[in-house]
C-alpha cells in the first residue's frame, strides 16, 4: 500500500512525521527542547503544566503533549505571546511554591529552578502564597515536602500506572487541591512500597529520599567504630553521571578510592553476597522444582516487591523465595564474621550500604534483620547521597587513583554483578542451575537481556524444561500474577523487580536526560560480567570458603533466610460495629481485609447477623471489624470469644457460638 | 431484623447492601458514597477504606473523590444542618450578618463547622434559587426567608428549646 510521507514545519524547519505519539515528541525530534513538568513518555499525558504550549497556524495555541501531529502543520514554539505566557506560568508557580531554594536538597537539579533560569525569569510579580509547610517524615525511605509541590501529578501517575500502588492521589479542589496520601496519613503509614519512582519523576523537592548522610559521617568520625561499606552492582555504572561520565561508565575503582579517602575502614561488594543469594535461591529453586512444591518461585531481592506482595498477595507469600536480599545477606554475614576477625563488638561495627534504591532503607529497618535490636545493616545511602558526600569532601572524583575492593567480601563473579539489571537474577540462577546439573559452565542465558518489561522464556537444562517470567514494574508484575492466580499461565520461576528495567533505574539513581541512559547502565553491568574471570556464583572461591568455615550448622539458614508477614495496606484501628456495654456473652471479630473480603467475609457477616438475630443474641454480642488480622491465607478469619476460626463457614461459626453458650449456661 | 440491633450495626449492614447493589463496581463510586453518606451523615475513614477494599481500588482514589465534592462530608455533622445562602441576592441583603450571628450564637468559626454538642452544623451555599426571599437560611429541609439577626437568634432558641423538651420526655 502506498503511504504518502507526511511532514510538518516546526520553527521554519520541515520534519517528517513518523510514529510520534504527540507533537511534543515531534518537536523534540526537531531538536527543540520544549520545557515541561508533567510530560513523561512512559506515563499517561496529563496536560496540566501548560509549559509546552505552541502555536499552530490556523488553530491557535495548544499544548504540544496532548496534540496529535498532522501533516501540513505549521508550528511555532517560540512566539512573543508564548514566551510571555511561559514566563507568567513560572512566576505563578513560584508564587505558590516554598522558595527556600538555597537550602533545598533538590537545588541544582530542580526542574522549576532550571526552567525559570532557562526562560530568564528574573522577578516574581505575584505575592508569595505558599511558605514552609510541615514535612512528612513518617517513612524510612521517602520525605514529602508539600510546600514544594507544583501539582504536576507525575508522582500520582507513576505510582498508579507504573506501580499500580496508588499511595498518592489528588484530593480537595480548586485552589485547595493537593497531592496527598489517603486520609492525609504519613507516607510511611500507607501502602507506599518505598520504590522511589515518585522521587525520580518529581521535578521539584516535594518528594525526596530520606538522607542518612549525617548518620554516616557521624559513624565515620567516631573513632570507636569500624565503618565498612558495601556497594550494590548498579551504583558502579551510574555514580559517574554525577561527575560528568556517560551513563554506563564503570567507576568502581574511583568509588572505592573515594570511600577510603572519606574514612571508610573497609570497602566490600554487594555482588559478593549476590553470589551467595544465587546459590541459596538456586538450591531452593531446584529443591522446589524436584518436589513440585510452591511453584512458581518468586524472587525476593527487591524490597519494594516484597512489601507489595505482603500487602496484596498474602496467598503467594509461601511462593516467595525465603532468601534474604543480597544487601541483608551481606549485613548478616559481615557482622557475624568481621566481629570475630577484628575482635570488636557488634555495636562497634557499622555497615553502610550504598544502593540505587530507596526501598533498601526500609528493608534495613525491618525487625527480621536485627539481632538483639542491632540491625545487620546500619545505614543505607543512595547513589545520589554518595555523590553528595563525595562532593562535600571536596574529592576530585575524576582525578582519583583507582583502588580495589577488600577481601574476602570484595570478590565477585560476573553472576553477582548482573543482579542490577532486570533479568540478571534469573540469568545468574540459571547459570548456577545449569552448572550444578551438568557439572560445568554451560553458557550465558541472553534471553532476558531485551529491553522488554515482561519477558517469558522456556529453557531446557538437561532433562528439565523450565518456564520463566522476568518482570519489572509492579503493574506489569500484577498482570503476570493475576494470570497465574487464574490458572491461565504457569511458570517455574518469576523474577520481579519493582523498578522498570531493574535496580539500574532505581529510586536512588541519577535522573538522566539521555533517552538510553538505563540501557547503557545495563550494558555497563554486562560488560563488567565479561571482564570477570568467573561467571557462575558457585565458582567464587571465597563463597566456597565461607560455606566451609562460617556458614556451618544452622547458620546458613539463620543468616541467609527470612520470613514474611501479611501486611495491612493502611494503619488504622478496628471498628466496633455492634457495641454492647454490659451483659455481653459473645465477642466476635471479623476480618474485612482484602484477602478475607475476597474469600467471602461479607457474606459470612450478613449470615451471622441473621442467625444472631433469630437466636435473639444481638443485644449480647459485640461485633468488631478488623482490617487484616494478618492471617490472610486462612481467610475468612473470625474470632469468637478469643478463639480464631480459619476458613470459617457459617456452620463452623454457629457450632462455636453454641459451644460458647453451652459453657456459659 | 430484630429490634435489638443497634444503629451502627444496621448502618454497617447498609454498607454491605449498597456495595452489593452496585456490584462493587468502581464506576459506581460516587453513587455508593452518596448512599453511604445518607446512612452515616458523613463518610467515616474506616468505611472509606472498606469501600476501597471492596471495589478493588486504592483508598487514595476514594479519598480524592470524597474531598473533591463539597456534597461529601468527612466529619460527622450536627443534628441540624444550617445552610446560609451567600448567593448574589442574599449577599447584597447582608447574609454575612446572618452568618456572623450564627457563628457567634453557636460558638463556631471558619474552620470549626459543627457545635460541640453535635446539634448544629453551619454551612454556606452559593445560591438556593430562592432569591425573592433573600436572605435565606435553610435548616435541614426547612426554608426560612427574609432573615434578620433577631429572627436568626429566635430560630436557634426555638430549636434548642424543642431539644430540651425532647430530652425531658
Amino acid at each position: 500500500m502506498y503511504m504518502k510521507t507526511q511532514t510538518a514545519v516546526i520553527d521554519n524547519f520541515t520534519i517528517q512525521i513518523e510514529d510520534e505519539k504527540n507533537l511534543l515528541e515531534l518537536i523534540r525530534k526537531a531538536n527543540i527542547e520544549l520545557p515541561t513538568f508533567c510530560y513523561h513518555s512512559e506515563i499517561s499525558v496529563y496536560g496540566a503544566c501548560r509549559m509546552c504550549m505552541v502555536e499552530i497556524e490556523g488553530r491557535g495555541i495548544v499544548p504540544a503533549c496532548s496534540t496529535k501531529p498532522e501533516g501540513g502543520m505549521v508550528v511555532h514554539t517560540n512566539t512573543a505571546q508564548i514566551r510571555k505566557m511561559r514566563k507568567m506560568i513560572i512566576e505563578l508557580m513560584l508564587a505558590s511554591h516554598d522558595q527556600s531554594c538555597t537550602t533545598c536538597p533538590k537545588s541544582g537539579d530542580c526542574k522549576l529552578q532550571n526552567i525559570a533560569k532557562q526562560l530568564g525569569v528574573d522577578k516574581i510579580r505575584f505575592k508569595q502564597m505558599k511558605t514552609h509547610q510541615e514535612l512528612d517524615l513518617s517513612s524510612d525511605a521517602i520525605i514529602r515536602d508539600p510546600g514544594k509541590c507544583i501539582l504536576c501529578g507525575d508522582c500520582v501517575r507513576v505510582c498508579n500506572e507504573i506501580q499500580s500502588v496508588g499511595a498518592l492521589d489528588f484530593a480537595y479542589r480548586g485552589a485547595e487541591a493537593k497531592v496527598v496520601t489517603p486520609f492525609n496519613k504519613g507516607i510511611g503509614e500507607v501502602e507506599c512500597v518505598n520504590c522511589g519512582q515518585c522521587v525520580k519523576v518529581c521535578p521539584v523537592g516535594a518528594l525526596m529520599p530520606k538522607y542518612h548522610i549525617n548518620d554516616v559521617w557521624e559513624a565515620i568520625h567516631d573513632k570507636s567504630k569500624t565503618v565498612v561499606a558495601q556497594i550494590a552492582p548498579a551504583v558502579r555504572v551510574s555514580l559517574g553521571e554525577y561527575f560528568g561520565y556517560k551513563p554506563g561508565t564503570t567507576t568502581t575503582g574511583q568509588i572505592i578510592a573515594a570511600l577510603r579517602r572519606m574514612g571508610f575502614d573497609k570497602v566490600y561488594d554487594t555482588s559478593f553476597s549476590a553470589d551467595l543469594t544465587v546459590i541459596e535461591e538456586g538450591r531452593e529453586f531446584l529443591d522446589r522444582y524436584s518436589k513440585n512444591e510452591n511453584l512458581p518461585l518468586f524472587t525476593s531481592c527487591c524490597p519494594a516487591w516484597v512489601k507489595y506482595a505482603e500487602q496484596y498477595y498474602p496467598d503467594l507469600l509461601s511462593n516467595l523465595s525465603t532468601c534474604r536480599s543480597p544487601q541483608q545477606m551481606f549485613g548478616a554475614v559481615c557482622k557475624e564474621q568481621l566481629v570475630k576477625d577484628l575482635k570488636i563488638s557488634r555495636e562497634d561495627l557499622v555497615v553502610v550500604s550504598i544502593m540505587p534504591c530507596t526501598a533498601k532503607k526500609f528493608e534495613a529497618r525491618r525487625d527480621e534483620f536485627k539481632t538483639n535490636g542491632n540491625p545487620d545493616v546500619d545505614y543505607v545511602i543512595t547513589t545520589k547521597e554518595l555523590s553528595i558526600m563525595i562532593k562535600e569532601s571536596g574529592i576530585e572524583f575524576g582525578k582519583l587513583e583507582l583502588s580495589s575492593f577488600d577481601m574476602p567480601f570484595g570478590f565477585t563473579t560476573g553472576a553477582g554483578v548482573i543482579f542490577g539489571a532486570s533479568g540478571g537474577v534469573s540469568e545468574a540462577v540459571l547459570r548456577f542451575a545449569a552448572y550444578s546439573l551438568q557439572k560445568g559452565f554451560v553458557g550465558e542465558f541472553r534471553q532476558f537481556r531485551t529491553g522488554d518489561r515482561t519477558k517469558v522464556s522456556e529453557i531446557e537444562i538437561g532433562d528439565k524444561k523450565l518456564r520463566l517470567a522476568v518482570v519489572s514494574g509492579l503493574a506489569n508484575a500484577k498482570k503476570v500474577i493475576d494470570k497465574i492466580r487464574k490458572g491461565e499461565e504457569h511458570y517455574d520461576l518469576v523474577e520481579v523487580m519493582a523498578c522498570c528495567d531493574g535496580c539500574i533505574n532505581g529510586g536512588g539513581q541519577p535522573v538522566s536526560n539521555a533517552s538510553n541512559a538505563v540501557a547503557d547502565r545495563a550494558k555497563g553491568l554486562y560488560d563488567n560480567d565479561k571482564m570477570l574471570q568467573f561467571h557462575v556464583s558457585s565458582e567464587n572461591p571465597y563463597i566456597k570458603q565461607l560455606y566451609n568455615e562460617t556458614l556451618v550448622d544452622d547458620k546458613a539458614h539463620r543468616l541467609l533466610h527470612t520470613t514474611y508477614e501479611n501486611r495491612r495496606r493502611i494503619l488504622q484501628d478496628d471498628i466496633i460495629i455492634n457495641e454492647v456495654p454490659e451483659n455481653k456473652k459473645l465477642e466476635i471479630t471479623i476480618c474485612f481485609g482484602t484477602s478475607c473480603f475476597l474469600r467471602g467475609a461479607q457474606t459470612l457477616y450478613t449470615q451471622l447477623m441473621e442467625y444472631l438475630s433469630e437466636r435473639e443474641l444481638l443485644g449480647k454480642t459485640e461485633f468488631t471489624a478488623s482490617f487484616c488480622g494478618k492471617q490472610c491465607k486462612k481467610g475468612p478469619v473470625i474470632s469468637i470469644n478469643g478463639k480464631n476460626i480459619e476458613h470459617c463457614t457459617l456452620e463452623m461459626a454457629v457450632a462455636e457460638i453454641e459451644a460458647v453458650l453451652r459453657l456459659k449456661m | 431484623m430484630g429490634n435489638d440491633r443497634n444503629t451502627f450495626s444496621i448502618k454497617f449492614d447498609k454498607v454491605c447492601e449498597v456495595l452489593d447493589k452496585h456490584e462493587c463496581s468502581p464506576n459506581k463510586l460516587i453513587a455508593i458514597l452518596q448512599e453511604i453518606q445518607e446512612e452515616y451523615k458523613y463518610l467515616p475513614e474506616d468505611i472509606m477504606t472498606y469501600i476501597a477494599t471492596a471495589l478493588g481500588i486504592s483508598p487514595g482514589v476514594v479519598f480524592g473523590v470524597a474531598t473533591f465534592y463539597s456534597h461529601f462530608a468527612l466529619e460527622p455533622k450536627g443534628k441540624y444542618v444550617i445552610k446560609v445562602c451567600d448567593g448574589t441576592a442574599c449577599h447584597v441583603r447582608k447574609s454575612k450578618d446572618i452568618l456572623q450571628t450564627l457563628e457567634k450564637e453557636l460558638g463556631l468559626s471558619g474552620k470549626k463547622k459543627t457545635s460541640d454538642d453535635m446539634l448544629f452544623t453551619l454551612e454556606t451555599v452559593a445560591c438556593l434559587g430562592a432569591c425573592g426571599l433573600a436572605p435565606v437560611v435553610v435548616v435541614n429541609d426547612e426554608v426560612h426567608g427574609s432573615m434578620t439577626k433577631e429572627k436568626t437568634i429566635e430560630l436557634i432558641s426555638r430549636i434548642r428549646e424543642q431539644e430540651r423538651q425532647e430530652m425531658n420526655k
Side-chain angles (χ1 to χ4, degrees), chain A residues 544-613:
Chain A
K544 287 180 195 164
Q545 194 186 334
L546 193 72
Y547 272 109
N548 290 334
E549 290 168 14
T550 308
L551 297 172
V552 287
D553 304 325
D554 70 328
K555 273 193 188 157
H557 186 77
R558 191 165 58 78
L559 297 176
L560 307 180
H561 290 262
T562 185
T563 52
Y564 306 104
E565 57 169 291
N566 297 311
R567 204 179 270 278
R568 287 184 181 203
R569 282 158 71 180
I570 291 191
L571 292 179
Q572 74 179 177
D573 297 332
D574 296 342
I575 40 175
I576 296 177
I577 300 175
N578 195 32
E579 205 170 2
V580 182
E582 45 201 272
N583 257 339
K584 73 182 153 192
K585 286 196 173 159
L586 286 167
E587 277 176 59
I588 302 182
T589 304
I590 183 156
C591 178
F592 277 120
T594 314
S595 178
C596 287
F597 182 84
L598 292 172
R599 290 162 190 262
Q602 189 175 307
T603 319
L604 183 63
Y605 163 79
T606 318
Q607 292 170 339
L608 256 183
M609 272 301 196
E610 266 167 37
Y611 174 76
L612 291 169
S613 170

Side-chain angles (χ1 to χ4, degrees), chain A residues 140 212 215 219 225-226 228 230 324 327-339 345-353 360-380 559:
Chain A
D140 288 327
H212 292 94
D215 300 305
K225 307 274 188 207
T226 303
V228 306
Q230 57 162 321
R324 295 183 182 192
Q327 157 171 289
Q328 294 308 138
M329 282 196 183
F330 182 91
V333 167
C334 177
K335 284 211 171 169
E336 175 77 18
Q337 195 176 324
L338 273 195
V339 164
S345 77
R346 193 179 154 96
E347 282 66 36
D348 286 335
L349 179 63
V350 177
V351 175
V352 177
S353 298
K360 288 284 170 195
K361 289 172 182 277
F362 168 82
E363 183 184 51
R365 298 280 162 98
R366 286 181 70 127
D367 289 334
E368 295 90 340
F369 303 133
K370 286 176 184 160
T371 307
N372 301 328
N374 178 273
D376 294 339
V377 172
D378 294 84
Y379 303 112
V380 178
L559 297 176

Side-chain angles (χ1 to χ4, degrees), chain B residues 9-121:
Chain B
S9 114
I10 294 168
K11 282 178 189 166
F12 195 76
D13 291 352
K14 179 78 182 178
V15 174
C16 298
E17 210 182 293
V18 170
L19 288 169
D20 282 344
K21 185 176 119 194
H22 293 285
E23 292 166 335
C24 290
S25 160
N27 299 333
K28 305 274 176 63
L29 177 61
I30 292 176
I32 291 170
L33 290 177
Q34 275 178 321
E35 286 173 38
I36 284 169
Q37 176 160 295
E38 237 161 73
E39 274 312 305
Y40 286 87
K41 304 295 171 212
Y42 78 109
L43 296 170
E45 201 175 293
D46 34 32
I47 300 296
M48 283 195 275
T49 310
Y50 183 60
I51 296 169
T53 308
L55 266 50
I57 55 179
S58 127
V61 173
V62 180
F63 185 65
V65 171
T67 53
F68 184 86
Y69 295 103
S70 57
H71 171 72
F72 294 123
L74 298 174
E75 275 159 16
K77 284 190 184 181
K79 187 172 175 189
Y80 297 92
V81 178
I82 305 175
K83 291 186 179 127
V84 178
C85 182
D86 196 28
T88 317
C90 291
H91 188 82
V92 295
R93 287 186 170 245
K94 303 247 165 60
S95 60
K96 272 264 144 42
D97 286 354
I98 311 279
L99 188 71
Q100 279 164 1
T101 309
L102 279 166
E103 282 181 345
K104 207 175 140 201
E105 190 62 27
L106 303 173
L108 302 175
S109 61
K111 281 241 156 133
K112 187 171 186 270
K113 291 195 177 340
T114 299
S115 61
D116 292 331
D117 57 7
M118 291 304 288
L119 216 47
F120 298 101
T121 296

Side-chain angles (χ1 to χ4, degrees), chain A residues 42 58 76 105 107 110 119 205 254 274 332 341 361 369 389-391 395 531 537 547 637 646:
Chain A
E42 296 192 346
H76 303 279
S107 185
C110 169
L119 299 184
Q254 289 93 326
D341 292 355
K361 289 172 182 277
F369 303 133
M389 288 181 78
I390 293 172
K391 285 178 184 167
I395 293 167
M531 296 285 289
S537 298
Y547 272 109
V637 178
E646 292 153 0

Side-chain angles (χ1 to χ4, degrees), chain A residues 252-291:
Chain A
T252 322
Q254 289 93 326
I255 297 171
I256 300 167
L259 290 169
R260 292 197 198 286
R261 289 239 190 146
M262 281 154 62
F264 280 87
D265 295 296
K266 301 274 180 195
V267 184
Y268 298 122
D269 195 347
T270 311
S271 304
F272 170 82
S273 51
D275 276 337
L276 210 50
T277 310
V278 171
I279 294 171
E280 288 295 318
E281 201 162 303
R283 285 178 183 164
E284 188 183 19
F285 173 62
L286 291 174
D287 181 53
R288 285 194 197 180
Y289 185 84
S290 65
K291 293 180 186 159

